Amino acid sequence: MTSEPTTARAHATDDECDGRKLKREITGPLLFLFILGDVLGAGIYALMGVLAEDVGGALWAPLLVALFLALLTAGSYAELVTKYPKAGGAAVFAQRAFRRPLLSFLIGFCMLAAGVTSAAGLSLAFAGDYLTTFIDVPAIPAAIVFLALVAALNARGISESLKSNVVMTVIELTGLLIVIIAVAVMVGGGRGDLGRVGQLPDGSAPALAILGGAIIAYYSFVGFETSANVAEEIRNPSKVYPAALFGSLITAGVVYALVGVASAIALPPAELSESSGPLLAVVDASGVGVPAWVFSAIALVAVANGALLTMIMASRLTYGMADHGLLPAVLSRVLPNRRTPWVAILATTVVAMLLTLVGDLSTLAETVVLLLLVVFISTNVAVLVLRRDTVTHDHFRVWTAVPVLGVASCVLLMTQQSATVWLFAAILVAVGAVLYAVARVADRRAAS
């Protein structure tokens, strides 16, 4: 992988012809923490129990496989973001590469649907054992109320500064370090079972079990895609972005693997899989004396922050697509004083609430992964197509084999998805296609 200077230019990009500029205030360390906070998020706090069902005590294995697969697609993002530092993510890359508005719309809508589905899963995680430490309420009603509160905050107008993201990242990372340290103390005291770390479920095929677990684990790494949206605000993106992207993913992967090892040592897979707050159960089992309410509060902050950021992204993406005529115009309406997209917030929140009725965090997480795999395939192919488009500035260039392997890895993960997950994803995409058709008809009528 290299930073490649190009000597010719096919054409000026649309963004470069635009006189509007954002202030470049994001340094390398801030970008590293931004991506790390997005990746760490809440997935690991909720999914360790789900992973235990697939791989038993070998929790570290699917996490490392998922890290490797995520790094492949991250290589493609590193090239495209540094090549087009004013571009805004997978849908824009697809438009540049394929020049097909419908395809670009579907890529953008897959991102949108993945965000709403992810928020539904996070709301269920919020309403699980971490919340019941403080109050015992039914999970689905609590998840719906939680989403309503997130929508209210979103509509009020929320500005997530990089400094606040640093604070949230420190809180999230602290919770994971508590898990690792607590189990290390447990082992030092002669307790725990080190033998569980390599044990797979009885009768399972190791490769298939780990691959199946990697589908779930992949959910914990996909947050890096959001970083493409801040490219214009990064100082020296060609140098800074790849280092921050790969560094944050590897850091998260190492922490995740250590948490997986610690979880297996502390508890049998059966006990982990029964808990909707598995890391709380691990800390309790360590006997270190960390109050349950302290760790639960950390986990709730991580989950709530993840859900809030996801819904802000989903509502703004909905608003932007409506503002560009890709979704019905009503979704672009904003509150007069707050200037927040209230219809988009309402619509995405209602969809997320309906998805909580699925009640199965594993199904929702796998649906998010499937939708994002479609996005990632598009991005990996776009890298190769856009090699024909040269730019005058230096940019990162990934080895050609990496996006090819990225496409192959995405297809491989797709083949492991269940029929139920494919059905959920197909329904969401079909809804998007209908909305696109409605928007196009409305545009034609307005033009006539």
Side-chain angles (χ1 to χ4, degrees):
M1 303 180 192
T2 61
S3 182
E4 176 192 80
T6 54
T7 57
R9 182 178 182 86
H11 55 78
T13 66
D14 296 337
D15 295 310
E16 289 167 336
C17 295
D18 192 331
R20 295 172 294 174
K21 293 182 181 292
L22 295 176
K23 195 171 182 180
R24 294 189 181 274
E25 292 187 322
I26 304 178
T27 61
L30 285 176
L31 181 63
F32 171 83
L33 289 171
F34 176 84
I35 301 174
L36 182 63
D38 238 355
V39 172
L40 284 179
I44 196 67
Y45 282 90
L47 294 178
M48 199 60 71
V50 178
L51 277 179
E53 294 180 8
D54 289 331
V55 295
L59 295 164
W60 54 272
L63 288 163
L64 291 181
V65 170
L67 169 62
F68 171 73
L69 298 178
L71 284 170
L72 294 175
T73 296
S76 294
Y77 273 90
E79 176 166 336
L80 290 176
V81 168
T82 58
K83 190 174 184 179
Y84 307 110
K86 296 182 182 180
V92 174
F93 301 148
Q95 178 59 25
R96 287 183 180 276
F98 311 122
R99 304 294 179 181
R100 296 288 186 272
L102 178 58
L103 178 60
S104 301
F105 165 80
L106 289 175
I107 296 302
F109 192 83
C110 281
M111 272 300 303
L112 170 59
V116 174
T117 307
S118 180
L122 291 175
S123 70
L124 289 174
F126 184 93
D129 288 348
Y130 296 125
L131 181 61
T132 56
T133 300
F134 301 96
I135 180 173
D136 190 6
V137 291
I140 291 178
I144 290 174
V145 171
F146 169 70
L147 286 170
L149 293 174
V150 168
L153 287 173
N154 196 352
R156 183 174 175 81
I158 297 180
S159 176
E160 293 294 328
S161 69
L162 289 175
K163 289 181 179 179
S164 69
N165 180 73
V166 169
V167 173
M168 300 306 299
T169 301
V170 169
I171 292 174
E172 293 165 359
L173 186 57
T174 298
L176 299 179
L177 292 177
I178 286 174
V179 174
I180 296 168
I181 294 170
V183 176
V185 173
M186 181 185 188
V187 172
R191 295 177 296 115
D193 186 350
L194 291 170
R196 280 197 294 261
V197 171
Q199 292 179 353
L200 290 160
D202 293 337
S204 65
L208 290 178
I210 292 171
L211 183 58
I215 296 172
I216 302 294
Y218 201 73
Y219 176 71
S220 296
F221 289 99
V222 294
F224 70 84
E225 202 280 342
T226 306
S227 62
N229 296 313
V230 298
E232 192 173 347
E233 298 167 88
I234 301 170
R235 295 177 187 172
N236 192 10
S238 293
K239 179 180 179 180
V240 167
Y241 184 81
L245 177 61
F246 297 130
S248 58
L249 280 172
I250 291 170
T251 300
V254 170
V255 172
Y256 285 168
L258 291 173
V259 170
V261 169
S263 300
I265 291 172
L267 285 174
E271 292 187 36
L272 278 173
S273 63
E274 290 172 358
S275 175
S276 59
L279 298 189
L280 174 60
V282 169
V283 173
D284 285 343
S286 72
V288 171
V290 177
W293 69 268
V294 171
F295 189 81
S296 293
I298 292 172
L300 288 175
V301 167
V303 175
N305 186 56
L308 180 58
L309 289 174
T310 299
M311 289 304 287
I312 289 174
M313 180 277 292
S315 61
R316 269 54 178 187
L317 181 55
T318 300
Y319 164 81
M321 293 176 75
D323 195 46
H324 285 82
L326 298 175
L327 288 173
V330 66
L331 292 168
S332 65
R333 292 182 182 177
V334 298
L335 288 173
N337 296 324
R338 298 289 179 185
R339 308 303 298 171
T340 51
W342 70 274
V343 178
I345 292 170
L346 179 62
T348 52
T349 301
V350 169
V351 173
M353 287 177 172
L354 291 174
L355 288 172
T356 63
L357 300 179
V358 174
D360 183 1
L361 180 58
S362 175
T363 298
L364 292 173
E366 289 182 38
T367 303
V368 172
V369 169
L370 179 56
L371 290 165
L372 289 178
L373 288 174
V374 175
V375 175
F376 291 165
I377 287 174
S378 170
T379 301
N380 282 307
V381 174
V383 168
L384 301 175
V385 173
L386 289 170
R387 288 278 169 87
R388 299 171 300 185
D389 182 28
T390 57
V391 294
T392 55
H393 63 271
D394 292 356
H395 67 85
F396 180 88
R397 179 178 172 120
V398 71
W399 297 317
T400 301
V402 172
V404 174
L405 290 173
V407 172
S409 69
C410 291
V411 172
L412 177 63
L413 289 174
M414 280 181 160
T415 64
Q416 303 302 307
Q417 297 281 10
S418 68
T420 300
V421 171
W422 277 98
L423 177 61
F424 274 117
I427 291 172
L428 289 169
V429 172
V431 170
V434 170
L435 291 174
Y436 180 79
V438 169
R440 304 315 292 171
V441 169
D443 281 348
R444 290 193 196 99
R445 288 180 177 176
S448 60

